[in-house]
Amino acid sequence: MATLDFYQAGRSRVHGWNPVTKLSLSLTLVVTAFALPVLWWPVALLVLVLLPAVLASGVQRRFLATMSRFLLPVILLLFVIQGLFYPGGGQVLLTLGPLSVHADGLLFAARTALRLVVLTGSFLFLLLTTHPGDLMTALVARGLPPKISYVVSATLQIIPAFRQRAQGILQAQRARGLRTDTGLVSRVRALVPLISPLILGALSEVDERSIAMEARAFGSTARRTSYTVIPDSTAQRLARWLMLLAALTAIALTTTGVVS
Amino acid sequence: MITVDKLGYTYPETARPVLREIDLNVPSGQFLGVVGPSGAGKTTLAQALAGYIPHVLGGEVTGRVEIGGLHVVDTPLPDLVTRVGMVSQNPFNQISGAKFTVAEELAFGLENLGVPRQDMLIAVREVLRRLRIEHLAERSPYELSGGQQQLVALGAMLVMNPDVLVLDEPTSQLDPAGSRLVFEALGELRSRDITVVLIEHKIERLAEFADRVVVLVDGELRMDGPPGTVLAAPELVEWGIGHTRFTTAAVRAGGRWPSGAALPVTLDQALAGFGGAR
């Protein structure tokens, strides 16, 4: 059964980086892309940092496929809406009957689109190259409350299991004559007999699941240890500090008006 | 050692007690079987022994339950889990969801207790070996069959090296192949110095494993003794528990079963009895 994560296993050096280093890289890319109001900056981040990292990790095919599936419609819509209806107006590049395409609108759309690409790309890179379990282990080791880690990990694993169960319930309902193949209305109607056994079943299992956690001393106040060792190095630690410095510098440059 | 002294229990927001005046002493290393009809309070008794009652489920407890001298009601659950572990019916619900591989899932409890990593590695390796699931170590617990998941749930308890293991119908939701896996593991447990309480409706299996069997009916202990005596008792039919196929065959055989011989509860006993009659 698949989990909800995007992780693509690999043996690249990027895969072996500490998850916190990759998370820091993603956050730095996003913070600087949004902080610096310079059009070419997100382009530089994409070309000089993100794409080389993606290529080095060997996940480019899935990266591009996922990016285009999620972002192409959004970006297209962004250019259409901002190009035609940007409130600032500015130079008119093209007139299509009652509609005009404005240069400022296109510029705004381009800036927003580039930032969106950096934002989505950075986190997709993190998710594609980092096993969620390793990410959670690394974050718990740095003080993330185990309960938050549990919520994330359990969601990634249990939701697909519930999806499987929903399929089973649906098949059982179909066997009793429920029609789900005759258009939208019948599909929506089919949700009612699906949702109640699914939700009630999940609620009835809460006690048992909570017992399973308590049986593993989840409520213990002892200082937790970790079975999994996440590799780290001095170079990565230094890189993380430099990334933090870069993000703070970008914020400082913008807030002080040095870059505008 | 388990000491249960006049245990009574009533679930929250209910008036009728589910357990009444239960007295039970189980010496260290004994394999105790518990049988009873549906609604007899077997699962409740298991949860009381494991400390989930009242620590997780609340309710009103009267009397005492002691595990190795620790009073269960007064002992915080994290301190109890190294003394007593429990495996319940549904394997899926016993997988924590917090971990992505079987080995990590087994180590989860030890991590929460702050056990040093080196000790964890040894304990996990040992349990994987003992349950013969080394090949599953790097698999996701959610990719396993029900029987394999139940072995992982059993392993997750064993890894904490408890003195007492309570198993509440661990094969009731498994297919025959899954049940066989679990019973093979239970056979392995018999050779260890661990006290096992097995609640099981497959009484033929219980007859093979248990040193002693108690019968719980309507929240009360009605019978206590060796499997050969308890599982062949005529009252079991009246209480809706039934007999093993071997006991039933001997009863139906009438005069062909040797007169005066105890009714069989295992295949070996049946073969010996019928062989003698031939």
Short mmCIF file of all heavy atoms in Angstrom, two decimals, chain A residues 196-230:
data_model
loop_
_atom_site.label_atom_id
_atom_site.label_comp_id
_atom_site.label_asym_id
_atom_site.label_seq_id
_atom_site.Cartn_x
_atom_site.Cartn_y
_atom_site.Cartn_z
N SER A 196 -20.65 7.33 6.30
CA SER A 196 -21.00 6.96 7.67
C SER A 196 -20.25 5.72 8.17
O SER A 196 -19.67 5.78 9.25
CB SER A 196 -22.52 6.84 7.85
OG SER A 196 -23.12 6.40 6.69
N PRO A 197 -20.18 4.61 7.44
CA PRO A 197 -19.40 3.48 8.00
C PRO A 197 -17.92 3.80 8.13
O PRO A 197 -17.27 3.34 9.07
CB PRO A 197 -19.62 2.34 7.00
CG PRO A 197 -20.26 2.92 5.82
CD PRO A 197 -20.84 4.24 6.18
N LEU A 198 -17.41 4.63 7.22
CA LEU A 198 -15.99 4.97 7.27
C LEU A 198 -15.68 5.80 8.51
O LEU A 198 -14.76 5.50 9.28
CB LEU A 198 -15.60 5.75 6.00
CG LEU A 198 -14.12 5.85 5.70
CD1 LEU A 198 -13.52 4.48 5.44
CD2 LEU A 198 -13.89 6.75 4.50
N ILE A 199 -16.47 6.84 8.73
CA ILE A 199 -16.23 7.74 9.87
C ILE A 199 -16.53 7.02 11.18
O ILE A 199 -15.73 7.07 12.12
CB ILE A 199 -17.12 9.01 9.76
CG1 ILE A 199 -16.83 9.76 8.45
CG2 ILE A 199 -16.94 9.92 10.97
CD1 ILE A 199 -15.53 10.48 8.39
N LEU A 200 -17.69 6.34 11.22
CA LEU A 200 -18.04 5.65 12.48
C LEU A 200 -17.03 4.56 12.80
O LEU A 200 -16.65 4.37 13.96
CB LEU A 200 -19.45 5.05 12.37
CG LEU A 200 -20.59 6.08 12.33
CD1 LEU A 200 -21.93 5.39 12.14
CD2 LEU A 200 -20.60 6.92 13.60
N GLY A 201 -16.55 3.86 11.75
CA GLY A 201 -15.53 2.84 11.95
C GLY A 201 -14.26 3.44 12.53
O GLY A 201 -13.67 2.91 13.47
N ALA A 202 -13.87 4.59 11.98
CA ALA A 202 -12.63 5.24 12.45
C ALA A 202 -12.79 5.70 13.89
O ALA A 202 -11.88 5.54 14.71
CB ALA A 202 -12.30 6.42 11.55
N LEU A 203 -13.97 6.25 14.20
CA LEU A 203 -14.20 6.73 15.57
C LEU A 203 -14.18 5.58 16.57
O LEU A 203 -13.64 5.71 17.66
CB LEU A 203 -15.54 7.47 15.66
CG LEU A 203 -15.57 8.85 14.99
CD1 LEU A 203 -16.97 9.45 15.07
CD2 LEU A 203 -14.57 9.80 15.65
N SER A 204 -14.77 4.44 16.15
CA SER A 204 -14.82 3.31 17.09
C SER A 204 -13.43 2.74 17.34
O SER A 204 -13.21 2.02 18.30
CB SER A 204 -15.75 2.23 16.55
OG SER A 204 -15.13 1.57 15.47
N GLU A 205 -12.49 3.06 16.45
CA GLU A 205 -11.14 2.52 16.63
C GLU A 205 -10.22 3.45 17.42
O GLU A 205 -9.07 3.13 17.67
CB GLU A 205 -10.51 2.28 15.25
CG GLU A 205 -11.11 1.08 14.55
CD GLU A 205 -10.66 0.96 13.12
OE1 GLU A 205 -9.88 1.83 12.67
OE2 GLU A 205 -11.07 0.02 12.45
N VAL A 206 -10.75 4.63 17.78
CA VAL A 206 -9.90 5.61 18.44
C VAL A 206 -9.33 5.06 19.75
O VAL A 206 -8.13 5.19 20.02
CB VAL A 206 -10.69 6.93 18.68
CG1 VAL A 206 -9.96 7.81 19.66
CG2 VAL A 206 -10.88 7.66 17.37
N ASP A 207 -10.20 4.40 20.55
CA ASP A 207 -9.74 3.86 21.83
C ASP A 207 -8.60 2.87 21.62
O ASP A 207 -7.58 2.92 22.30
CB ASP A 207 -10.90 3.14 22.54
CG ASP A 207 -11.68 4.11 23.41
OD1 ASP A 207 -11.19 5.23 23.61
OD2 ASP A 207 -12.77 3.74 23.87
N GLU A 208 -8.81 1.97 20.65
CA GLU A 208 -7.82 0.91 20.42
C GLU A 208 -6.49 1.52 19.95
O GLU A 208 -5.41 1.09 20.35
CB GLU A 208 -8.36 -0.06 19.38
CG GLU A 208 -7.83 -1.46 19.59
CD GLU A 208 -8.50 -2.47 18.67
OE1 GLU A 208 -9.64 -2.25 18.25
OE2 GLU A 208 -7.83 -3.46 18.36
N ARG A 209 -6.60 2.54 19.09
CA ARG A 209 -5.39 3.17 18.58
C ARG A 209 -4.68 3.92 19.71
O ARG A 209 -3.45 3.92 19.80
CB ARG A 209 -5.78 4.13 17.45
CG ARG A 209 -4.68 4.42 16.49
CD ARG A 209 -5.21 5.04 15.24
NE ARG A 209 -5.71 4.06 14.31
CZ ARG A 209 -4.93 3.26 13.58
NH1 ARG A 209 -3.62 3.33 13.70
NH2 ARG A 209 -5.44 2.40 12.75
N SER A 210 -5.46 4.55 20.55
CA SER A 210 -4.86 5.29 21.66
C SER A 210 -4.18 4.32 22.63
O SER A 210 -3.09 4.58 23.14
CB SER A 210 -5.96 6.12 22.32
OG SER A 210 -5.92 6.04 23.69
N ILE A 211 -4.80 3.15 22.83
CA ILE A 211 -4.20 2.12 23.67
C ILE A 211 -2.87 1.65 23.06
O ILE A 211 -1.87 1.48 23.76
CB ILE A 211 -5.17 0.93 23.84
CG1 ILE A 211 -6.25 1.30 24.86
CG2 ILE A 211 -4.45 -0.34 24.26
CD1 ILE A 211 -7.33 0.25 25.01
N ALA A 212 -2.88 1.47 21.72
CA ALA A 212 -1.66 1.00 21.06
C ALA A 212 -0.51 1.99 21.28
O ALA A 212 0.64 1.58 21.48
CB ALA A 212 -1.91 0.82 19.57
N MET A 213 -0.83 3.28 21.29
CA MET A 213 0.21 4.28 21.52
C MET A 213 0.68 4.25 22.97
O MET A 213 1.88 4.33 23.26
CB MET A 213 -0.31 5.68 21.16
CG MET A 213 -0.63 5.86 19.70
SD MET A 213 0.77 5.50 18.63
CE MET A 213 1.78 6.93 18.89
N GLU A 214 -0.27 4.15 23.89
CA GLU A 214 0.10 4.11 25.31
C GLU A 214 0.91 2.86 25.62
O GLU A 214 1.81 2.88 26.46
CB GLU A 214 -1.16 4.18 26.19
CG GLU A 214 -1.89 5.51 26.13
CD GLU A 214 -1.02 6.69 26.54
OE1 GLU A 214 -0.11 6.51 27.35
OE2 GLU A 214 -1.26 7.79 26.03
N ALA A 215 0.57 1.75 24.95
CA ALA A 215 1.30 0.50 25.17
C ALA A 215 2.76 0.63 24.75
O ALA A 215 3.60 -0.15 25.17
CB ALA A 215 0.64 -0.63 24.39
N ARG A 216 3.06 1.61 23.90
CA ARG A 216 4.45 1.84 23.50
C ARG A 216 5.05 3.01 24.29
O ARG A 216 5.99 3.65 23.82
CB ARG A 216 4.53 2.17 22.01
CG ARG A 216 3.72 1.28 21.12
CD ARG A 216 4.41 -0.05 20.90
NE ARG A 216 3.57 -0.88 20.05
CZ ARG A 216 3.55 -0.79 18.72
NH1 ARG A 216 4.34 0.06 18.11
NH2 ARG A 216 2.76 -1.56 18.03
N ALA A 217 4.44 3.33 25.41
CA ALA A 217 4.97 4.38 26.29
C ALA A 217 5.02 5.73 25.61
O ALA A 217 5.90 6.55 25.90
CB ALA A 217 6.35 3.99 26.82
N PHE A 218 4.07 6.00 24.72
CA PHE A 218 4.08 7.28 24.02
C PHE A 218 3.90 8.45 25.00
O PHE A 218 4.35 9.56 24.75
CB PHE A 218 2.97 7.30 22.95
CG PHE A 218 3.10 8.44 21.97
CD1 PHE A 218 4.24 8.59 21.20
CD2 PHE A 218 2.07 9.35 21.81
CE1 PHE A 218 4.36 9.63 20.30
CE2 PHE A 218 2.18 10.40 20.90
CZ PHE A 218 3.33 10.53 20.14
N GLY A 219 3.22 8.18 26.11
CA GLY A 219 3.01 9.23 27.09
C GLY A 219 4.18 9.39 28.07
O GLY A 219 4.11 10.18 29.01
N SER A 220 5.24 8.64 27.84
CA SER A 220 6.37 8.69 28.76
C SER A 220 7.04 10.07 28.74
O SER A 220 7.07 10.73 27.72
CB SER A 220 7.40 7.62 28.36
OG SER A 220 8.62 7.86 28.99
N THR A 221 7.55 10.47 29.90
CA THR A 221 8.23 11.76 29.96
C THR A 221 9.75 11.58 29.86
O THR A 221 10.49 12.55 30.00
CB THR A 221 7.89 12.48 31.28
OG1 THR A 221 8.13 11.57 32.35
CG2 THR A 221 6.44 12.94 31.30
N ALA A 222 10.17 10.33 29.63
CA ALA A 222 11.62 10.08 29.52
C ALA A 222 12.19 10.82 28.30
O ALA A 222 11.45 11.11 27.35
CB ALA A 222 11.86 8.58 29.37
N ARG A 223 13.48 11.13 28.35
CA ARG A 223 14.11 11.76 27.20
C ARG A 223 14.21 10.71 26.08
O ARG A 223 14.86 9.68 26.24
CB ARG A 223 15.51 12.25 27.60
CG ARG A 223 16.16 13.11 26.56
CD ARG A 223 17.56 13.51 27.02
NE ARG A 223 18.32 14.04 25.91
CZ ARG A 223 18.21 15.28 25.48
NH1 ARG A 223 17.40 16.12 26.08
NH2 ARG A 223 18.92 15.70 24.45
N ARG A 224 13.58 11.01 24.95
CA ARG A 224 13.50 10.01 23.88
C ARG A 224 14.84 9.80 23.19
O ARG A 224 15.63 10.73 23.06
CB ARG A 224 12.46 10.44 22.85
CG ARG A 224 11.04 10.22 23.32
CD ARG A 224 10.04 10.79 22.34
NE ARG A 224 8.71 10.29 22.62
CZ ARG A 224 7.92 10.72 23.59
NH1 ARG A 224 8.34 11.68 24.40
NH2 ARG A 224 6.73 10.21 23.78
N THR A 225 15.02 8.56 22.78
CA THR A 225 16.20 8.25 21.98
C THR A 225 15.72 7.88 20.58
O THR A 225 14.52 7.82 20.34
CB THR A 225 16.97 7.07 22.60
OG1 THR A 225 16.03 6.05 22.95
CG2 THR A 225 17.73 7.50 23.83
N SER A 226 16.65 7.65 19.67
CA SER A 226 16.24 7.35 18.30
C SER A 226 16.93 6.09 17.79
O SER A 226 18.13 5.93 17.94
CB SER A 226 16.57 8.54 17.39
OG SER A 226 16.21 8.22 16.07
N TYR A 227 16.13 5.24 17.19
CA TYR A 227 16.66 4.01 16.60
C TYR A 227 17.42 4.35 15.31
O TYR A 227 18.44 3.76 15.01
CB TYR A 227 15.48 3.09 16.30
CG TYR A 227 15.83 1.79 15.63
CD1 TYR A 227 16.33 0.72 16.37
CD2 TYR A 227 15.63 1.62 14.27
CE1 TYR A 227 16.64 -0.48 15.76
CE2 TYR A 227 15.94 0.42 13.65
CZ TYR A 227 16.45 -0.62 14.39
OH TYR A 227 16.76 -1.80 13.80
N THR A 228 16.87 5.31 14.58
CA THR A 228 17.45 5.68 13.29
C THR A 228 18.48 6.78 13.49
O THR A 228 18.21 7.76 14.19
CB THR A 228 16.35 6.18 12.34
OG1 THR A 228 15.27 5.27 12.39
CG2 THR A 228 16.85 6.31 10.92
N VAL A 229 19.61 6.62 12.87
CA VAL A 229 20.63 7.67 12.93
C VAL A 229 20.60 8.45 11.62
O VAL A 229 20.69 7.86 10.54
CB VAL A 229 22.03 7.06 13.15
CG1 VAL A 229 23.09 8.13 13.01
CG2 VAL A 229 22.11 6.42 14.52
N ILE A 230 20.45 9.74 11.73
CA ILE A 230 20.43 10.58 10.53
C ILE A 230 21.81 11.20 10.39
O ILE A 230 22.25 11.94 11.27
CB ILE A 230 19.36 11.68 10.66
CG1 ILE A 230 17.99 11.08 10.99
CG2 ILE A 230 19.30 12.52 9.40
CD1 ILE A 230 17.38 10.24 9.90
#
